[in-house]
Amino acid sequence: MQLPVLVIKLGSAVISDSQGNIDEKIIRKLAAEVASLSKAYHIVLVSSGAVGSGKSFFKKYKGSLVERKAAAAVGNPILIRLYDRYCSKHGITVAQALCERHHFSNRAQFLQLKETFHEFWRNDILPVVNENDLVSNVELKFSDNDELATLLALGFDADTLVICTSVGGFLDGEKKVIPVVSTIDQSVMGYISNEKSGLGLGGMLSKMTFTRLATSMGIRVSITGLAGKEPLTRSLNGLQGTTFKPQRSNLKARQKWLASGSITLGELQLDEGAEKALHARKSLLSVGVKQLQGAFSAGEVVQLRNTQETIIGVAKVKLGAADLQQQLQTRNVLAAHADDIVLFD
Ligand SMILES: N[C@@H](CCC(=O)OP(=O)(O)O)C(=O)O
């Protein structure tokens, strides 16, 4: 049965106690709720917390990148065992999915991931996703799991993305949760504080950046806490946390996947003529590319920047970086077909 997809993202701070250890009471409560929601949704659970769970096994842990990678590798199985212990009480088996950035910038790889997740859902198996920190170096890292959850929501054309946070929702200037946000404009962004929990990577700025991307691609987003009974269901019903309304819904699944490559391995800087042509739904020719950055291959998704330095969209390129660079100087060739371009506005 084809159910709507629900992506739930759990930050490290929201599933940990004040000492930074995973709070089993929360996992027990979540497992019961996820089991009941899985009758109505195909669920993807994106869970942080691996670094926090693994770091105490390292003698002189200071939080360097290599220590975080190693701690995540120790912590991921600890996390998974916990999810498995409590989900199995409700007849749900869990599967671990460790993702890397190129799983999203390459359509063929993403389709494989998608096929595997559908196999999970057919068998009542819950995919629990985290970044494959062990092999993610600085350039290839997701900025945090808010990004990973958003890319999954876009790629799966999810109905809703629920981002669970320790502050309970999106707060206004008086630190009260705003129940509904119709459009994320400057006044809304002005409420963002720079405070972050000591445990995780992403703060509210990151959550709002990705919420803006997801809502602009037609996905409803809820930012919520996990206090009280059935917090996920309550947030889906608009009774808890902040609901951000979707902005447009006319994009096809493939276009949403393209948009999910918005933070990609490469970038093309376009001239004004090319920008105009794209807005007129034309293809991108190499003559309109002023310069390029990054080591991308043909068929991967890159972001498009205009002369004002604004990211205007993404495109699946026909040529890899080296070939395109050569063509810029010699010939005018197709850099990306109009069907493979998604503009953000
Ligand atoms: N992959 C890392 C998560 C990093 C991260 O994004 O953390 P958070 O900001 O708490 O969602 C871990 O499992 O600890």
Side-chain angles (χ1 to χ4, degrees):
M1 192 180 21
Q2 192 65 28
L3 296 175
V5 173
L6 171 64
V7 178
I8 302 166
K9 188 263 167 172
L10 303 164
S12 314
V14 82
I15 55 168
S16 304
D17 63 21
S18 49
Q19 267 80 54
N21 302 312
I22 303 295
D23 185 339
E24 289 201 32
K25 287 195 294 301
I26 292 185
I27 306 293
R28 190 194 307 136
K29 177 163 97 169
L30 278 169
E33 213 185 348
V34 165
S36 109
L37 285 171
S38 63
K39 295 186 183 94
Y41 292 97
H42 287 325
I43 297 181
V44 179
L45 194 69
V46 178
S47 180
S48 302
V51 174
S53 307
K55 65 185 183 189
S56 63
F57 294 86
F58 294 83
K59 294 183 182 93
K60 291 179 183 157
Y61 185 87
K62 291 220 169 55
S64 68
L65 184 60
V66 68
E67 284 172 323
R68 288 179 59 84
K69 287 175 169 188
V74 174
N76 266 319
I78 297 175
L79 258 186
I80 280 290
R81 278 199 292 275
L82 274 179
Y83 283 115
D84 189 53
R85 182 180 312 154
Y86 291 104
C87 287
S88 63
K89 294 188 195 302
H90 302 276
I92 306 245
T93 301
V94 299
Q96 182 170 46
L98 296 177
C99 290
E100 294 164 33
R101 195 169 200 119
H102 60 89
H103 297 150
F104 291 87
S105 54
N106 179 306
R107 179 75 173 156
Q109 291 218 358
F110 184 75
L111 289 177
Q112 286 186 43
L113 184 139
K114 206 167 171 178
E115 194 185 16
T116 311
F117 276 37
H118 278 283
E119 190 60 26
F120 291 149
W121 293 324
R122 271 192 290 276
N123 292 282
D124 297 327
I125 294 170
L126 171 72
V128 178
V129 185
N130 199 353
E131 175 166 11
N132 192 5
D133 291 285
L134 186 71
V135 290
S136 298
N137 64 22
V138 178
E139 299 96 61
L140 293 178
K141 269 191 87 52
F142 297 105
S143 55
D144 55 43
N145 274 347
D146 297 323
E147 179 184 4
L148 172 56
T150 305
L151 300 192
L152 284 161
L154 290 168
F156 278 97
D157 197 9
D159 175 82
T160 309
L161 164 65
V162 180
I163 301 178
C164 302
T165 155
S166 50
V167 296
F170 184 63
L171 309 182
D172 66 13
E174 286 159 14
K175 305 262 179 215
K176 287 208 199 89
V177 172
I178 305 175
V180 182
V181 174
S182 300
T183 316
I184 304 174
D185 55 19
Q186 280 314 104
S187 67
V188 171
M189 293 301 275
Y191 289 134
I192 297 172
S193 96
N194 288 330
E195 284 166 38
K196 257 181 34 166
S197 80
L199 286 171
L201 280 182
M204 198 46 87
L205 179 58
S206 153
K207 287 179 182 40
M208 290 301 287
T209 304
F210 295 114
T211 296
R212 185 138 78 163
L213 175 64
T215 53
S216 72
M217 294 294 137
I219 293 169
R220 176 172 65 140
V221 178
S222 169
I223 297 186
T224 187
L226 289 178
K229 273 194 179 166
E230 305 201 315
L232 300 171
T233 314
R234 282 175 58 79
S235 79
L236 287 169
N237 292 330
L239 301 171
Q240 181 162 329
T242 308
T243 302
F244 296 85
K245 293 193 173 169
Q247 300 300 302
R248 59 202 265 191
S249 55
N250 56 348
L251 290 177
K252 296 190 187 88
R254 187 171 170 285
Q255 289 175 303
K256 287 189 186 175
W257 165 76
L258 268 174
S260 79
S262 59
I263 299 129
T264 57
L265 307 175
E267 183 180 302
L268 308 184
Q269 194 180 43
L270 312 185
D271 65 17
E272 282 173 12
E275 187 182 359
K276 253 199 192 149
L278 300 198
H279 282 293
R281 296 183 174 280
K282 298 210 171 109
S283 296
L284 176 64
L285 300 176
S286 61
V287 69
V289 180
K290 287 172 69 179
Q291 49 185 351
L292 55 91
Q293 275 168 22
F296 51 87
S297 310
E300 289 190 342
V301 180
V302 299
Q303 57 191 20
L304 306 173
R305 198 180 280 276
N306 68 9
T307 47
Q308 278 95 54
E309 294 294 314
T310 308
I311 307 280
I312 58 162
V314 291
K316 183 157 95 79
V317 283
K318 291 276 179 211
L319 300 168
D323 286 343
L324 184 55
Q325 183 70 56
Q326 271 198 347
Q327 304 288 0
L328 295 188
Q329 286 131 25
T330 53
R331 292 193 313 146
N332 193 19
V333 294
L334 184 67
H337 190 275
D339 290 347
D340 292 335
I341 296 170
V342 176
L343 297 182
F344 291 152
D345 289 311

